[in-house]
Amino acid sequence: MGERQGVFNRRIFLMGGVVAFGLFALTGRLAHLQILHGGRYKRLSAANQFNFRLIPPPRGQILDRNGSVLAGNRPSFRVVVRRNEIEDIDKTLDQLSYILPQTAANRRRIVRDINQSQRFVPTIVAADLSWEDFSRVNLYAAEIPGVEADMNEMRVYHYGGAFSHVVGYVAKVSESDLKAEGENPDPMLLHPGFRIGKQGVEKAFEKQLRGVSGAQKVEVNAVGGVVAEDPTGTRPPVPGEDITLTIDAEVQQRALEMFGEDSGSAVLMNVHNGEVLCMASAPSFDPNLFVSGISTKAYRLLADYERRPLLDKAIGSTFAPGSTFKMATALAFLAAGIDPKERVVCRGSYPFGRRNFRCWRAGGHGSVDMNDAIKHSCDVYFYHLCNRAGVDRISETAHKLGLGELFDLEIAGQKSGVIPSTEYKRKNFKNDPKWHPGETLSVAIGQGYTHVSALQLAVYTARIANGHKAVTPHLVKKIGKVDLDFNFADIDIPPEHLQLVRNGMNAVSNDSDGTAFRNSQLNLGDIKMAGKTGTAQVINYDRAGTRRATQWRNKDHGLYVCYAPADNPKYALAVVVQHGVAGGTVAAPKAREIMKVALLKDPEMQARIVRPPPPEVPDEPLIIPEADASADVLQPAAPAADDFVPPTP
């Protein structure tokens, strides 16, 4: 009996020790969790209880130079589904399709988006709803778990296609966009309503326009449903910055109107500060189509159209400049020491080697000097003298004027084109690396390997007009409230040489026998325009057997470059009409109307246009003395009686 009692006592003692140790350990662990790590677990508990929803900020606006809104935001009604609140996606979409029939047509896209999105990130089912659809969804949304109707902001482009290439557009975030953001992309990119810049200014200034997202603190239940909101924990979003462009909306719209159904581009810039007032590409497209998502069929119609509306022809296309290049060639002649008064006889063609290089005027221009050659656009003059200057000097001069250059423009997509030289030939033609003198003849008149963009032609004209500074183009005037300023290097071409070329351009547009006289008259008081026409060959005439192609894609390009006022330049303009045949008859009228809008909007030009003409001074009558009929020279008129001084004896 005593032994049994002893064993029992020992067991009780042992079990009591185990229990005591367990209680001690449990107490220690509780103390460890509550005292040492209590704050951490409190935060984790709060995280389970509360959630933060991103609030996208209003995207910054894009404005023209006068404050007109080119790209802004408008209210938009939408329907979203929250995956974490849905048990059966198919059942939910079936219920929703009774309210919104369009849901059935987009079902595949919706299911794909739901499966690809994070669990707590809502997925857009329908966007930009009418008020009737939005009201109907609101009426029944409470009966369908996970479905919510709300209002957000949608990007809107007020001028449609007028600025589609410059301003660009926004669209849904893609995988490549997320990769471009780096390892830690902005969480806002995962928000269903967020749209990212895809082209133009929208893409170039994405970070400034995007702003900083806010957060809304909400209390959630075990399945993630919202129970209540906590206004004290809400952080408001920071709106994106506005971007003010140098573009003038009225000038840009006029340019697009002038092109109509034609294909091409126009670039107008200030010759003193490089501000681009117009950079139009025609035909264009409506960027609003891309905001909510363009259908594959609609996109293919744009992409496959031969006039390529999706391409920015102002900076992303290059063309042979044709005769608009002749000012660069003339300046190279002057740099080589060729006398501008040296005359060349044009009989309509120029034999060189085994070829006969033709002038555009079959009958020829007769005897011409440099000024005449620019005014009449005589090819033979440039054929005859080009090899005395050499292709490398022509190339160097063209680069100084901005041709073949890439500029620090604020948007992407520029093409540098080609300004050929002996080095260019050596690098790019391994089978025939030697430059041949006959190739210089084509380059001298802006043909052959030579290709430039409309933007380069505008810069080229602006530098000729400026005469001192190598101005560069700029599209952005102000970011937020900060004005941008730019400095330019010297042009490194003698001013007297540039003046000779300007004289020739003035004759092109204002002499009655100039190639653009008829279509270059502004009719704005004493303000005149100086310019140069160009027609760029697209196919080989000898192989085609004719200079008059019938198919649109084989017709010549028509070009015109100009500046105004001719006596005190302020604006330079380049117009390229793709397959427009002739610069003087097709491009020049467009340039005239675009330039007129810019001049009429300029206060300085307005004052000059409306000022009264200077008083006319009556001419003194011409007194012709009696003279021998065989005399070749008229004698000077006798002085007036009051001025007569008798001869000294």
Side-chain angles (χ1 to χ4, degrees):
M1 188 70 179
E3 289 183 2
R4 290 181 179 177
Q5 185 67 32
V7 171
F8 178 76
N9 290 337
R10 285 195 299 272
R11 288 177 178 175
I12 290 295
F13 180 78
L14 182 61
M15 291 179 65
V18 171
V19 171
F21 179 78
L23 290 173
F24 177 78
L26 182 60
T27 303
R29 180 58 176 165
L30 288 173
H32 179 266
L33 292 175
Q34 292 190 10
I35 297 174
L36 296 180
H37 294 283
R40 175 171 174 262
Y41 288 104
K42 185 177 181 180
R43 289 192 298 272
L44 290 174
S45 176
N48 289 330
Q49 181 184 2
F50 295 97
N51 202 345
F52 285 91
R53 290 185 173 180
L54 285 177
I55 304 175
R59 192 172 179 85
Q61 299 183 117
I62 300 175
L63 314 170
D64 88 329
R65 64 186 300 111
N66 301 309
S68 298
V69 179
L70 309 180
N73 308 301
R74 64 174 175 83
S76 173
F77 301 118
R78 65 179 183 176
V79 177
V80 299
V81 295
R82 298 188 180 275
R83 183 181 177 187
N84 59 304
E85 300 177 16
I86 297 175
E87 294 182 1
D88 187 336
I89 294 175
D90 289 328
K91 181 179 179 182
T92 299
L93 293 180
D94 287 340
Q95 292 175 311
L96 192 56
S97 64
Y98 287 108
I99 307 171
L100 293 175
Q102 61 264 42
T103 305
N106 298 323
R107 188 169 187 135
R108 182 178 297 178
R109 189 270 304 169
I110 295 168
V111 172
R112 184 192 65 227
D113 290 349
I114 290 174
N115 290 330
Q116 290 178 350
S117 65
Q118 296 182 1
R119 185 171 179 80
F120 289 95
V121 175
T123 301
I124 295 179
V125 173
D128 209 18
L129 296 176
S130 66
W131 175 252
E132 290 76 13
D133 286 341
F134 180 69
S135 301
R136 189 163 56 250
V137 174
N138 262 323
L139 185 63
Y140 296 103
E143 301 176 12
I144 308 175
V147 174
E148 181 182 322
D150 65 4
M151 187 179 74
N152 72 324
E153 287 189 336
M154 179 173 282
R155 200 64 161 170
V156 59
Y157 300 98
H158 297 289
Y159 289 84
F163 296 90
S164 54
H165 298 98
V166 176
V167 171
Y169 60 89
V170 295
K172 190 177 178 181
V173 179
S174 65
E175 288 294 328
S176 60
D177 294 324
L178 289 173
K179 289 180 181 178
E181 289 280 322
E183 295 182 1
N184 299 307
D186 189 337
M188 188 163 52
L189 271 65
L190 302 175
H191 193 278
F194 181 75
R195 295 293 182 266
I196 194 170
K198 294 285 189 177
Q199 186 177 307
V201 174
E202 292 277 29
K203 182 177 181 180
F205 293 90
E206 169 62 31
K207 295 293 176 66
Q208 293 90 336
L209 290 164
R210 182 187 302 177
V212 180
S213 59
Q216 181 186 32
K217 188 178 180 182
V218 293
E219 186 176 354
V220 296
N221 56 25
V223 295
V226 176
V227 176
E229 295 183 10
D230 182 5
T232 61
T234 298
R235 185 186 70 192
V238 178
E241 292 185 288
D242 292 343
I243 305 294
T244 303
L245 304 184
T246 60
I247 297 284
D248 188 300
E250 291 184 40
V251 179
Q252 182 90 355
Q253 280 190 298
R254 184 57 173 159
L256 209 60
E257 288 172 4
M258 289 306 302
F259 273 92
E261 296 182 359
D262 288 333
S263 177
S265 54
V267 180
L268 174 74
M269 60 184 288
N270 187 307
V271 305
H272 302 298
N273 58 24
E275 291 183 351
V276 177
L277 280 76
C278 165
M279 196 163 83
S281 177
S284 190
F285 64 94
D286 187 355
N288 292 298
L289 296 173
F290 289 82
V291 177
S292 54
I294 188 171
S295 67
T296 302
K297 184 178 180 180
Y299 180 80
R300 289 263 48 99
L301 287 172
L302 291 171
D304 296 339
Y305 183 40
E306 68 174 345
R307 303 198 179 191
R308 305 186 71 184
L310 296 177
L311 176 64
D312 187 352
K313 299 180 182 69
I315 62 175
S317 286
T318 58
F319 309 87
S323 294
T324 61
F325 188 78
K326 288 175 179 175
M327 286 84 75
T329 307
L331 288 167
F333 290 174
L334 295 171
I338 295 174
D339 186 351
K341 294 299 182 183
E342 182 177 340
R343 306 191 74 82
V344 173
V345 177
C346 170
R347 295 186 174 87
S349 65
Y350 181 75
F352 190 89
R354 289 179 292 180
R355 281 192 60 186
N356 201 33
F357 290 81
R358 290 177 294 184
C359 185
W360 71 270
R361 176 175 285 178
H365 294 95
S367 177
V368 294
D369 61 8
M370 182 176 288
N371 189 78
D372 297 331
I374 295 174
K375 178 170 73 170
H376 299 302
S377 200
C378 176
D379 295 329
V380 169
Y381 175 86
F382 293 94
Y383 293 151
H384 185 80
L385 298 175
C386 64
N387 278 300
R388 283 167 56 183
V391 69
D392 286 336
R393 184 175 276 109
I394 295 173
S395 176
E396 179 186 359
T397 304
H399 277 289
K400 286 181 180 179
L401 293 168
L403 300 179
E405 296 290 317
L406 292 176
F407 306 106
D408 190 18
L409 198 66
E410 290 81 0
I411 62 175
Q414 290 184 75
K415 283 190 176 179
S416 61
V418 176
I419 300 297
S421 63
T422 54
E423 182 65 13
Y424 165 81
K425 183 80 183 294
R426 186 184 66 79
K427 286 183 176 180
N428 293 278
F429 294 86
K430 301 300 181 183
N431 295 330
D432 184 19
K434 182 182 177 182
W435 186 269
H436 302 286
E439 294 172 314
T440 311
L441 273 67
S442 294
V443 173
I445 62 166
Q447 293 282 174
Y449 305 121
T450 314
H451 279 76
V452 301
S453 68
L455 176 66
Q456 291 173 5
L457 285 174
V459 174
Y460 160 77
T461 310
R463 291 184 179 183
I464 291 173
N466 178 290
H468 301 285
K469 296 293 182 180
V471 292
T472 56
H474 297 283
L475 280 169
V476 176
K477 190 177 183 68
K478 189 162 56 175
I479 299 176
K481 296 182 179 180
V482 179
D483 289 294
L484 304 185
D485 193 19
F486 304 95
N487 295 313
F488 310 114
D490 292 332
I491 198 170
D492 193 28
I493 295 177
E496 58 272 19
H497 290 181
L498 290 165
Q499 185 58 51
L500 287 169
V501 166
R502 285 196 295 268
N503 291 343
M505 294 178 70
N506 188 53
V508 166
S509 298
N510 297 303
D511 285 5
S512 59
D513 56 346
T515 57
F517 172 75
R518 182 175 300 175
N519 292 315
S520 293
Q521 303 308 300
L522 296 171
N523 297 318
L524 298 177
D526 64 349
I527 297 178
K528 304 295 182 183
M529 183 166 67
K532 181 71 187 78
T533 56
T535 302
Q537 185 177 328
V538 174
I539 59 172
N540 188 298
Y541 295 146
D542 294 334
R543 294 176 185 173
T546 178
R547 294 177 63 91
R548 301 298 178 192
T550 55
Q551 289 185 311
W552 177 79
R553 65 175 179 270
N554 291 331
K555 293 181 179 180
D556 295 340
H557 299 316
L559 305 95
Y560 186 68
V561 298
C562 59
Y563 62 84
D567 57 352
N568 187 18
K570 184 168 185 180
Y571 300 110
L573 171 63
V575 174
V576 178
V577 183
Q578 191 177 15
H579 307 296
V581 181
T585 57
V586 177
K590 292 177 172 57
R592 179 190 62 213
E593 297 306 313
I594 297 168
M595 183 68 80
K596 283 178 72 171
V597 177
L599 293 169
L600 287 168
K601 292 199 68 179
D602 189 309
E604 293 180 14
M605 300 300 113
Q606 291 175 9
R608 181 170 171 178
I609 292 167
V610 300
R611 72 185 180 190
E616 294 185 4
V617 179
D619 294 331
E620 294 182 356
L622 181 64
I623 301 174
I624 303 176
E626 294 183 3
D628 187 353
S630 63
D632 293 327
V633 181
L634 293 175
Q635 298 298 318
D642 292 342
D643 297 328
F644 182 74
V645 179
T648 304

